[in-house]
Amino acid sequence: MLDFLTQKVHDENRQGEAYAPFAVDENQYKKHFYIESYGCQMNFADSEIVASILQEQGFGATRNLEQADLIFINTCSIREKAEQTVRKRLTDFKKAKKSNPGLLIGVLGCMAERLKAKFLEEEKLVDMVVGPDAYRSLPALIEEAETGQKAVKVLLSRDETYADIAPVRLDSNGVSAFVSIMRGCNNMCSFCVVPFTRGRERSRDAASIVAECETLYRDGYKEVTLLGQNVDSYHYFDESVGEAVTFARLLEKVAMIAPDLRVRFSTSHPKDITEEVLQTMARYENICKYIHLPVQSGSSRVLQLMNRTYTREWYMAKVDRIREVLPDCGISSDVIAGFCTETDEDHQDTLSIMEYSKYDMSYMFFYSERPGTLAARRYTDDVPLETKKQRLSEIVALQGRLSRESNEKDLGKTFKVLVEGPSKKNPDEWMGRNSQNKVIVFPKPAELKKGDYLEVTVTDCTQATLIGNVRSEK
Ligand code: SAM
Ligand code: SF4
């Protein structure tokens, strides 16, 4: 195996995952493509759309770089480090191109959108730069690049949702799948590059979402996660029946497909999650009791600078309401340390709101200024890196304690668990998730298969995982 394959950045969050649909693919293809994805779940879902568009045109996916005629890297711009990871990976591809000069390299996603043609100047080996709304043009762009010209398409669209494209489920566990319900974001949080790289918010046709979920269920999937940057602002007017579909209504439609199809969603902006959504979650057992509710900061002053449009108190009241309506709901968060002007007092507010909200889990970052964002234009990135890192380490340590405490509260409880497959650490054990999205590991009972539901009683835990014993099959 080439050495650059083994150096691949590959963490638990699937960063850099390469896709191939079949272990043994009997189909004849004119060319093979290799695609690697970075960043959020939306990017991973987009790579499945890209794979579908390419397969339709006679290109086959490969997980083997040496076999590839085309390499695509689906990129993330959210923090500087995410971009550095991609740049580093591109240097690996240089070696592949040296040994195969006909190889074409395409950069997809948010970095392509942010840097546009500049990418071609900065990274000479890149042949195609394709933004997130231009994937339908990929076959034409490949043809253009094959003639030796560089191909760029980065126009953002107001209506592209790829609603009619059935994503190719690549490297899926066959149990859970992501379904994109909207694209873009209108929120303009001042730190965030997403509104610039993914464009205006648009909701996908509700009927096509329900149809995709029905197909997944028929194919044996037992869990769908409805994806969007801000799912609670989903809104689609279905002219055929004259019905306005809100996110709550969409959730209900998907939940009604089958009682044993679990429904999850991500991400909720605290300002948009409605009472109607909470009540819908309460009504359907198969809508998972788990909400990712990013707080970003616990200081009302910083939240205002971030343009999050809620205060500390408002957020805390939202957490209270979730706990009232859904007493057993898991809540997780995103937290940013060291945003512009953040004082130690602001940081203490972040720690105390985490403590108040008792998050089961958080994604935690230090602030990374992104060119072109409102914050980059308006504020000075004035918290020293050392201070950012110190505050982040305190946030991480606190979350560690909160996660452990949350797991310890589950000792002795019995959960309905959807089995995803063997545990990564020990093949004699299997893993699944409960409704609250917590991972549970348990000894493999006889006759178990992926996609089964089990009752598992928690006997032990670590900070990240519940450990249990099977009570019965459901
Ligand atoms: N739309 C989602 C939301 O608002 O919660 C998630 C957007 S983003 C892909 C995921 C997370 O990255 C954000 O919630 C935020 O915590 C973090 N993030 C975004 N921009 C950042 C920046 N400039 N520096 C550090 N973290 C950032
Ligand atoms: Fe970025 Fe805010 Fe939109 Fe999330 S809601 S994608 S953080 S602008």
Side-chain angles (χ1 to χ4, degrees):
M1 187 187 281
L2 297 175
D3 66 336
F4 51 81
L5 272 181
T6 53
Q7 288 165 14
K8 197 170 79 160
V9 180
H10 206 123
D11 71 17
E12 288 159 13
N13 295 329
R14 305 176 66 194
Q15 299 304 297
E17 192 170 282
Y19 282 147
F22 317 110
V24 181
D25 191 344
E26 304 286 331
N27 294 315
Q28 292 294 314
Y29 295 111
K30 55 181 179 192
K31 291 205 163 162
H32 282 94
F33 67 93
Y34 171 96
I35 185 164
E36 210 171 88
S37 307
Y38 293 84
C40 65
Q41 288 160 342
M42 298 285 301
N43 255 7
F44 285 80
D46 275 6
S47 290
E48 297 187 335
I49 287 171
V50 167
S52 173
I53 292 169
L54 292 177
Q55 264 185 2
E56 194 64 16
Q57 296 294 320
F59 297 94
T62 175
R63 207 183 276 130
N64 180 358
L65 259 180
E66 289 157 274
Q67 195 195 5
D69 308 288
L70 299 154
I71 293 179
F72 290 108
I73 182 160
N74 197 350
T75 61
C76 171
S77 277
I78 201 85
R79 283 167 292 277
E80 198 185 344
K81 190 162 170 281
E83 291 201 353
Q84 283 166 355
T85 306
V86 167
R87 300 246 188 212
K88 191 169 164 293
R89 188 66 183 135
L90 281 172
T91 62
D92 294 337
F93 296 154
K94 257 185 202 147
K95 297 173 201 166
K97 202 157 182 169
K98 237 184 203 159
S99 56
N100 175 9
L103 181 69
L104 293 176
I105 295 178
V107 175
L108 314 178
C110 291
M111 260 179 105
E113 194 60 51
R114 192 177 86 69
L115 292 159
K116 304 186 171 61
K118 232 171 95 185
F119 218 124
L120 297 174
E121 291 158 34
E122 290 174 10
E123 304 283 348
K124 296 276 184 261
L125 86 158
V126 171
D127 304 287
M128 288 168 275
V129 176
V130 188
D133 288 346
Y135 297 147
R136 283 181 203 270
S137 306
L138 267 170
L141 295 168
I142 292 168
E143 259 183 44
E144 194 178 328
E146 278 170 344
T147 68
Q149 290 183 54
K150 302 274 180 183
V152 181
K153 190 151 186 190
V154 288
L155 262 189
L156 287 171
S157 158
R158 281 190 170 255
D159 48 33
E160 178 62 272
T161 58
Y162 300 109
D164 56 318
I165 294 178
V168 175
R169 304 290 162 189
L170 302 160
D171 273 358
S172 137
N173 61 4
V175 176
S176 46
F178 294 113
V179 176
S180 186
I181 64 163
M182 59 202 295
R183 299 181 73 79
C185 182
N186 286 354
N187 276 328
M188 296 306 251
C189 300
S190 64
F191 51 81
C192 185
V193 77
V194 168
F196 305 95
T197 59
R198 300 190 77 95
R200 304 292 293 169
E201 187 177 287
R202 59 224 107 114
S203 296
R204 176 179 165 190
D205 170 1
S208 78
I209 296 169
V210 174
E212 186 177 327
C213 295
E214 282 169 346
T215 305
L216 284 164
Y217 182 67
R218 270 201 307 276
D219 291 347
Y221 285 82
K222 291 289 181 59
E223 183 175 88
V224 290
T225 302
L226 307 181
L227 280 186
Q229 292 298 350
N230 184 13
V231 287
D232 298 280
S233 61
Y234 176 87
H235 192 274
Y236 186 81
F237 188 76
D238 189 342
E239 280 171 11
S240 62
V241 281
E243 181 196 13
V245 185
T246 60
F247 180 60
R249 185 73 190 106
L250 180 72
L251 258 183
E252 181 161 45
K253 280 173 184 279
V254 178
M256 283 167 66
I257 292 173
D260 64 339
L261 177 70
R262 276 187 169 178
V263 189
R264 298 187 183 277
F265 55 91
S266 184
T267 296
S268 293
H269 192 298
K271 79 173 163 56
D272 292 319
I273 187 161
T274 58
E275 182 69 19
E276 198 194 353
V277 167
L278 301 183
Q279 296 297 343
T280 308
M281 289 175 75
R283 258 198 323 277
Y284 289 88
E285 189 269 341
N286 59 331
I287 303 181
C288 289
K289 304 301 176 278
Y290 167 65
I291 300 175
H292 186 56
L293 196 72
V295 68
Q296 314 297 0
S297 167
S299 152
S300 293
R301 189 188 70 80
V302 172
L303 285 169
Q304 191 172 7
L305 291 180
M306 287 177 162
N307 200 22
R308 289 291 287 183
T309 71
Y310 53 82
T311 61
R312 170 185 176 82
E313 290 71 29
W314 196 94
Y315 182 95
M316 288 157 84
K318 188 60 82 176
V319 170
D320 292 346
R321 186 64 191 147
I322 292 170
R323 301 237 185 260
E324 261 168 49
V325 181
L326 306 163
D328 60 346
C329 192
I331 304 182
S332 61
S333 190
D334 292 350
V335 184
I336 298 179
F339 186 64
C340 313
T341 78
E342 187 188 77
T343 62
D344 196 50
E345 205 183 331
D346 296 320
H347 170 60
Q348 294 304 324
D349 283 347
T350 297
L351 295 176
S352 67
I353 207 166
M354 290 175 68
E355 190 94 52
Y356 184 87
S357 309
K358 296 192 170 50
Y359 298 127
D360 300 296
M361 191 273 289
S362 290
Y363 296 105
M364 300 156 282
F365 318 99
F366 63 74
Y367 173 58
S368 162
E369 185 178 87
R370 307 312 294 130
T373 54
L374 292 183
R377 284 184 274 144
R378 285 188 194 159
Y379 315 127
T380 312
D381 181 12
D382 56 357
V383 177
L385 184 61
E386 274 319 298
T387 311
K388 285 181 183 173
K389 286 187 173 168
Q390 173 57 32
R391 289 179 186 165
L392 179 61
S393 70
E394 288 170 28
I395 288 169
V396 170
L398 172 57
Q399 184 55 58
R401 173 164 69 73
L402 294 175
S403 298
R404 176 173 285 281
E405 284 171 4
S406 162
N407 282 352
E408 281 168 355
K409 275 203 194 126
D410 289 338
L411 291 175
K413 288 188 193 165
T414 299
F415 292 105
K416 181 175 171 184
V417 170
L418 174 60
V419 179
E420 290 183 21
S423 138
K424 278 186 195 132
K425 285 192 188 145
N426 179 354
D428 294 335
E429 292 186 331
W430 277 48
M431 64 77 65
R433 276 168 216 271
N434 65 7
S435 176
Q436 291 73 13
N437 207 33
K438 286 188 180 177
V439 171
I440 306 192
V441 172
F442 48 89
K444 182 180 191 266
E447 303 290 313
L448 183 77
K449 49 181 199 322
K450 285 200 244 181
D452 285 347
Y453 286 100
L454 295 174
E455 294 267 301
V456 180
T457 303
V458 180
T459 52
D460 199 358
C461 68
T462 66
Q463 186 180 301
T465 313
L466 299 175
I467 298 155
N469 276 319
V470 176
R471 279 249 311 242
S472 69
E473 282 186 38
K474 281 230 105 181

